[in-house]
Amino acid sequence: MEQLSIEDAYLYTPSVHEDERGTFREWFRGDRLSEVIGHRLNLAQANCSVSRRGVLRGVHFADVPPGQAKYVTCVSGAVLDVVVDIRVGSPTFGQWQAVEMDDRLGQGLYVGEGLGHAFMALSDRATVVYMCSESYAPGREHGVHPLDPDLAIAWPADLEPRLSRKDAAAPTLAEAREKGMLPVYDECVAFYAKMRGTGL
């Protein structure tokens, strides 16, 4: 379980066991995740997203509290998965880190509450499965434009991004901050501490 350059985001690389029948891996280990985040991941919802090459989803986030932590893996094809620190006051505010995930390595990515999350499909067809700590609540869900030039996320230059209407209409990071839409770092840290205190 490796912490990314952005605090509260972790990448898990499982062992892949292969024989003549195929492969086997543990793509999620609750005990190992609990060791690094200090509490169990509450499983409230599990989603499966199938995307064509070039489809770009995000940057999505939810109000904190309660936020929505995610544990993401790619079970078919390949994606470029990106975590963005959109927590106002964070030492890494406005920074991002990209991880290429595919069905060969089977890595799992944990995205803590208050962080932004996005991914682009690199293969002709990519299937991403992710578990969420809270159920989808439209009133608490928001987005930042994934092509915001100030964020300058390095999406693959050879792919034409395909965005939903909602994502294409999302504000830039600066606009979202001006509107008071973004999570506040100190409030997120207090929420994480509360979660560790409950042990849930």
Side-chain angles (χ1 to χ4, degrees):
M1 193 69 75
E2 170 194 354
Q3 181 172 313
L4 300 187
S5 60
I6 295 173
E7 188 181 359
D8 306 303
Y10 294 87
L11 183 67
Y12 172 61
T13 303
S15 297
V16 179
H17 307 279
E18 186 171 4
D19 60 23
E20 68 278 0
R21 300 169 299 167
T23 62
F24 174 86
R25 64 176 179 265
E26 297 174 338
W27 67 274
F28 173 72
R29 283 290 300 266
D31 55 345
R32 293 182 182 172
L33 181 61
S34 296
E35 286 176 5
V36 296
I37 66 173
H39 61 86
R40 291 179 296 172
L41 175 66
N42 176 52
L43 177 56
Q45 184 173 324
N47 300 328
C48 179
S49 173
V50 181
S51 303
R52 296 175 180 171
R53 180 176 167 85
V55 166
L56 175 51
R57 301 179 187 267
V59 176
H60 299 151
F61 66 96
D63 292 336
V64 181
Q68 188 186 60
K70 297 176 181 176
Y71 190 89
V72 187
T73 191
C74 181
V75 297
S76 175
V79 298
L80 185 69
D81 205 294
V82 178
V83 178
V84 185
D85 195 344
I86 55 170
R87 300 168 298 183
V88 176
S90 168
T92 54
F93 176 76
Q95 297 181 27
W96 54 270
Q97 184 169 352
V99 178
E100 189 169 331
M101 301 174 69
D102 58 32
D103 54 13
R104 182 178 57 87
L105 291 178
Q107 293 169 309
L109 179 67
Y110 174 77
V111 182
E113 294 90 346
L115 295 174
H117 176 249
F119 66 86
M120 175 183 270
L122 304 178
S123 52
D124 290 340
R125 182 182 175 95
T127 302
V128 171
V129 173
Y130 52 103
M131 302 184 294
C132 304
S133 64
E134 295 288 337
S135 299
Y136 175 72
R140 297 197 307 262
E141 304 289 330
H142 308 287
V144 168
H145 203 294
L147 303 179
D148 178 356
D150 288 336
L151 277 179
I153 298 173
W155 301 110
D158 61 333
L159 289 179
E160 183 68 29
R162 301 181 183 185
L163 277 66
S164 69
R165 290 178 183 171
K166 183 177 179 181
D167 288 345
T172 65
L173 185 66
E175 291 169 342
R177 183 175 186 175
E178 288 173 7
K179 294 177 181 178
M181 296 170 55
L182 301 178
V184 176
Y185 178 69
D186 288 345
E187 294 175 0
C188 290
V189 170
F191 180 75
Y192 305 149
K194 181 180 177 182
M195 293 292 291
R196 287 193 293 271
T198 62
L200 297 179

